Amino acid sequence: MSIHFTVSDLTKNLFHSLGLDRPPRALNPEEGLLLECYLAGQIPESAWSDYVFETPELARHVEARRSHH
């Protein structure tokens, strides 16, 4: 008996086990404003990296927004 996985299956399983496949949690008003300012180009990448380090959920919201546009 052999078991076959594709890289896609393994990636999906990893994302699921880490909880990364669920939708991002709702942002509070301050986080929402930061997200909007970043997407509008008003926050430099270096500053955005600091925000994402403190609140990793912000990066998930950016990815979710970009994947829907």
Side-chain angles (χ1 to χ4, degrees):
M1 179 164 117
S2 64
I3 298 174
H4 299 279
F5 288 105
T6 64
V7 173
S8 175
D9 290 337
L10 292 174
T11 302
K12 284 185 217 174
N13 290 339
L14 176 62
F15 274 46
H16 180 73
S17 67
L18 295 175
L20 299 175
D21 60 342
R22 67 186 190 289
R25 69 159 172 79
L27 298 176
N28 67 37
E30 180 183 346
E31 293 167 338
L33 181 59
L34 281 171
L35 176 65
E36 294 302 323
C37 290
Y38 173 71
L39 292 173
Q42 298 174 349
I43 297 177
E45 286 294 326
S46 58
W48 182 249
S49 295
D50 292 342
Y51 290 123
V52 169
F53 179 78
E54 295 294 325
T55 310
E57 199 72 17
L58 289 169
R60 295 185 65 210
H61 277 274
V62 168
E63 290 304 315
R65 285 276 189 95
R66 288 182 175 159
S67 70
H68 287 99
H69 286 96

